[in-house]
Amino acid sequence: MLFHVQMTVRLPHDMPADVADELKAREKAMAQSLQRDGTWRHLWRIAGRYANVSIFDVDSPAALHDVLSRLPLFPYMDIEVQALCRHASSIHDDDR
Amino acid sequence: MLFHVQMTVRLPHDMPADVADELKAREKAMAQSLQRDGTWRHLWRIAGRYANVSIFDVDSPAALHDVLSRLPLFPYMDIEVQALCRHASSIHDDDR
Amino acid sequence: MLFHVQMTVRLPHDMPADVADELKAREKAMAQSLQRDGTWRHLWRIAGRYANVSIFDVDSPAALHDVLSRLPLFPYMDIEVQALCRHASSIHDDDR
Amino acid sequence: MLFHVQMTVRLPHDMPADVADELKAREKAMAQSLQRDGTWRHLWRIAGRYANVSIFDVDSPAALHDVLSRLPLFPYMDIEVQALCRHASSIHDDDR
Amino acid sequence: MLFHVQMTVRLPHDMPADVADELKAREKAMAQSLQRDGTWRHLWRIAGRYANVSIFDVDSPAALHDVLSRLPLFPYMDIEVQALCRHASSIHDDDR
Amino acid sequence: MLFHVQMTVRLPHDMPADVADELKAREKAMAQSLQRDGTWRHLWRIAGRYANVSIFDVDSPAALHDVLSRLPLFPYMDIEVQALCRHASSIHDDDR
Amino acid sequence: MLFHVQMTVRLPHDMPADVADELKAREKAMAQSLQRDGTWRHLWRIAGRYANVSIFDVDSPAALHDVLSRLPLFPYMDIEVQALCRHASSIHDDDR
Amino acid sequence: MLFHVQMTVRLPHDMPADVADELKAREKAMAQSLQRDGTWRHLWRIAGRYANVSIFDVDSPAALHDVLSRLPLFPYMDIEVQALCRHASSIHDDDR
Amino acid sequence: MLFHVQMTVRLPHDMPADVADELKAREKAMAQSLQRDGTWRHLWRIAGRYANVSIFDVDSPAALHDVLSRLPLFPYMDIEVQALCRHASSIHDDDR
Amino acid sequence: MLFHVQMTVRLPHDMPADVADELKAREKAMAQSLQRDGTWRHLWRIAGRYANVSIFDVDSPAALHDVLSRLPLFPYMDIEVQALCRHASSIHDDDR
């Protein structure tokens, strides 16, 4: 099932650059791994903000929480979740 | 280019059922036409609400406005637009 | 899976009393039917408001939307949905 | 009587990991003790957020405040309380 | 137990004056009856607004809901409820 | 004249415990002194929050500001003030 | 004592023009009478909006409510009240 | 021309007292100088808050910004500006 | 001097189409006249919404109010005004 | 295409003055370079606030994000983006 997730990142201004860089590198690696296995179906940057809009494809809300709470940037993100379902007017097979 | 659009429909309670049905039928026809020509790339229902999350692929903000303002339900919708761009961590070719 | 749903009812002031009564009677019948089949697991009134807090147990966001959008009062309700999952500190078997 | 409580945890980013771990361990122990004695009737994680939705069964608002204000994470939580009562459409005996 | 209730009245502009007057007269009679029996302990007007702040003394959230939902102006009021308890610094016996 | 005051306390997480304790002790002493002289007529805890609802009886807004701004916790509180007046439906002599 | 009052007028779109004109004429007459007797000390239009910022000089919150609630446009206004007092840095005698 | 300005001061809790005192003393001196030359026409304290409501009389928005941005407390204030103009119902010559 | 104005149009759903068309035609004529005389310096549509962002060049807040309040759609618009001034980093002569 | 961008700067109070000055100097240099090449078409200060309203002329949302995210003050700014398009009533050629 699909969930719409909007994440806004708020790193503390006093976080050392190397700590931030290491966090971001691990976040990117995990994001790409989750994309490869089909969990993180879409990932877009919101223009002008340190934020993204994402579509996750998981088996349950528990699986979604498990994925999100293990992201390296999780402690520094405001996250909003909306459960999605197929729209009666959609013609796209993968807009499940 | 991609735009993230969230539409919430608020039909007046005193709109006659046949007027509403006709509006919804025209909205659905136009939505499906725009999906077929690639303009309306994704369309999902938000669970529990008369609202959707959509991704539009257009040439400009002007083209987006032209499409949205001609939807039959446009006068009855609250619409929020966010411009999207490719995320540095995305591996999906079509997450342009 | 469980969803937390808060519903606030806003009936138009000019709705005739018999129309409102009939809507409420149908809403109550459907609510009790959904409780009997295990879909609507909890239903509480929020003290002092024409609103409730509910826990639904469904197979998917699509099933949740299907249930909610068929409620007779659906066109007159503001609905907020939050996906729930088991809490690591819970000891209750049915707090799935 | 029942109260609906939503808790959002905001630990300071500079709290040492061992202090946070010790706080969370004590919070979990107290949460489970309160569940065992029937005070904390339901406890769910909100998917994607460091937050929970809970139902407390206490004798008075004073008893609720006493319980919440002694939680180890209380100084780090935003807490919203709603008083609940039985819904006329409920058929569940324990939805008091 | 005590509950803090703030009520804001929003009468429809097209309600006939005699209907409004009759509603207000019944509201006043019920409010005074509830004050006489000790249920509605305090009632103040908020200066400059068609709104009041009230303190109710009831046996439960259910009793509070029962009282509020039977007020003649209930369908026309926005109501906010906060559960109160004794403050450790209070020296007033009746600030229970 | 009466003012309705809601105070929410936000102590910095890094305030040493003895400094906080000393502040709270001085706050309590001053609150009780103001209750004894009739200035602070009611003081209630809001269940589940480090916050209170209070009724002050003072000669003017200037007197109210003088009292509030001298409270030891003033620099750490969000304060909302509403001017009250007698309600036409009140039957309590002291709901001036 | 002084109160800061911001009033925003929201006339129903279907109010007949002559009814609106008559209300506004009565509002203006009362506003000027209250200015002449010193009650309504300042009255400014907020540029671009059907709204004003005003300073009232009255003996009590009750007097303020009495004045505001008798304004012909009172049922059509959103009103926000803030109690003012002399600022320690003011050098103007009439900024009481 | 007149501008309505509401300033809320938020000094960091860890600012040394002598630094804060020196800032406040310079702020007061500048505020009184601006009052003497007619720029800062009114200055009122909002009862119960570290905030003020002010009326400035300047030649342009640029002049207003120049004055506000040079205030010693400017970096620590939330400032809201509203442009004012003469109200058609005003009878006060200086309510320009 | 320049003012930044954001206008959102909310026409009543029951306004007859010919009344709406006549209002919009008059609004357009006045908007173009004000652009020709230099008062309405910029006018942009916000993509996806019945709203615009505009820059007005007027002699005073009073002149701005005079212009805005005479627009045919004024009674149907939410208007937000921000006073602008030259930015120290601007190199454009006409960004006064 | 044009984007409307509002930026509010929030520098940490404990940032050393020379670090802040160097950031602002680099921000100004980049802002002026972007104005010279036509990317940053308009730049205005909002009177009374450390904030600006800007119009950017870029080829895509991706280009906008690239420009904004490289500004030296980007980590310290709240940024709101609105996509603009030509207004049917505009007569200005450069209000594309």
Side-chain angles (χ1 to χ4, degrees), chain A residues 43-93:
Chain A
L43 168 59
W44 295 287
R45 170 71 64 206
I46 302 174
R49 299 180 50 205
Y50 193 177
N52 70 67
V53 164
S54 294
I55 306 292
F56 283 83
D57 188 353
V58 292
D59 286 336
S60 67
L64 177 70
H65 186 75
D66 191 53
V67 164
L68 293 176
S69 62
R70 287 192 296 178
L71 291 176
L73 289 176
F74 179 74
Y76 308 103
M77 294 199 291
D78 285 345
I79 294 183
E80 295 167 65
V81 173
Q82 288 181 301
L84 299 180
C85 51
R86 187 165 181 80
H87 194 287
S89 298
S90 175
I91 62 168
H92 298 306
D93 286 347

Side-chain angles (χ1 to χ4, degrees), chain G residues 3-30:
Chain G
F3 289 91
H4 177 277
V5 181
Q6 182 163 328
M7 311 179 199
T8 302
V9 186
R10 305 190 193 281
L11 292 183
H13 292 310
D14 58 0
M15 178 182 280
D18 58 336
V19 175
D21 288 346
E22 193 267 345
L23 270 175
K24 292 176 194 174
R26 286 174 45 219
E27 178 86 8
K28 182 174 188 172
M30 190 173 297

Side-chain angles (χ1 to χ4, degrees), chain C residues 4 17-18 20 22 24 26 29 32 49 57-58 67-68 76 79 87 96:
Chain C
H4 177 277
D18 57 337
E22 192 268 344
K24 292 176 193 174
R26 287 174 44 220
Q32 294 190 333
R49 299 180 50 204
D57 189 351
V58 292
V67 164
L68 293 176
Y76 308 102
I79 294 184
H87 194 288
R96 283 169 301 152

Side-chain angles (χ1 to χ4, degrees), chain D residues 14-82:
Chain D
D14 57 358
M15 178 181 279
D18 58 336
V19 175
D21 288 346
E22 193 267 344
L23 270 174
K24 293 176 193 173
R26 288 174 44 217
E27 179 86 9
K28 182 172 188 172
M30 190 174 296
Q32 294 190 331
S33 167
L34 288 163
Q35 287 174 81
R36 275 190 293 270
D37 73 18
T39 300
W40 199 325
R41 274 191 31 180
H42 295 289
L43 169 59
W44 295 286
R45 170 71 64 205
I46 302 174
R49 300 180 49 205
Y50 192 177
N52 71 68
V53 164
S54 293
I55 306 293
F56 283 83
D57 188 352
V58 291
D59 286 336
S60 66
L64 177 70
H65 186 75
D66 192 54
V67 164
L68 293 176
S69 62
R70 286 193 296 178
L71 291 175
L73 289 175
F74 179 74
Y76 308 103
M77 295 199 290
D78 286 345
I79 294 183
E80 296 168 65
V81 173
Q82 288 181 302

Side-chain angles (χ1 to χ4, degrees), chain B residues 21-57:
Chain B
D21 289 346
E22 193 266 345
L23 269 175
K24 292 176 192 173
R26 286 174 45 218
E27 178 86 8
K28 182 173 188 171
M30 190 174 298
Q32 295 190 331
S33 167
L34 288 163
Q35 287 175 81
R36 276 191 293 272
D37 72 18
T39 300
W40 199 324
R41 274 190 30 180
H42 296 288
L43 168 58
W44 296 286
R45 171 71 65 206
I46 302 174
R49 300 180 48 204
Y50 193 177
N52 70 68
V53 164
S54 294
I55 306 292
F56 283 82
D57 189 351

